[in-house]
């Protein structure tokens, strides 16, 4: 079950994160931190959350693939069922 809200809601992110960018798709959201990490949550049916599966989540999760590849997220743009990330190696 994924909660869909038509009104603003507070994000439950780890306290030490400083968000530098955010983007919302139709049913998912992504944030980039000043440290270059990408966190996503929401509807994941088409893999748009970037976690290597089609699992949906109400909790923000770090995209571990970028960390494993040594990539630093700089910018994120969410489409209806997609997520685009500009990274630095």
């Amino acid at each position: 079950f994924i909660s869909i809200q038509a009104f603003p809601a507070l994000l439950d992110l780890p306290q030490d994160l400083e968000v530098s960018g955010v983007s919302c798709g139709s049913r998912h959201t992504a944030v980039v931190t000043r440290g270059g990490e990408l966190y996503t949550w929401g509807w994941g049916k088409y893999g748009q959350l970037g976690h290597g599966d089609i699992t949906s989540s109400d909790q923000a999760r770090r995209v571990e693939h970028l960390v494993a590849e040594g990539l630093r997220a700089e910018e994120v743009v969410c489409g209806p069922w997609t997520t685009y990330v500009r990274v630095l190696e």
Side-chain angles (χ1 to χ4, degrees), residues 19-76:
V19 174
S20 63
V22 63
S23 184
C24 298
S26 294
R27 295 180 178 156
H28 71 293
T29 304
V31 298
V32 173
T33 69
R34 291 196 193 282
E37 295 178 321
L38 177 67
Y39 286 79
T40 61
W41 64 97
W43 194 48
K45 183 176 181 179
Y46 300 107
Q48 65 268 42
L49 300 182
H51 300 293
D53 57 26
I54 57 170
T55 302
S56 298
S57 175
D58 277 335
Q59 298 296 317
R61 291 174 45 204
R62 185 171 74 170
V63 178
E64 297 297 337
H65 177 75
L66 298 179
V67 176
E69 293 295 320
L71 300 173
R72 177 185 169 90
E74 291 290 310
E75 183 178 10
V76 64

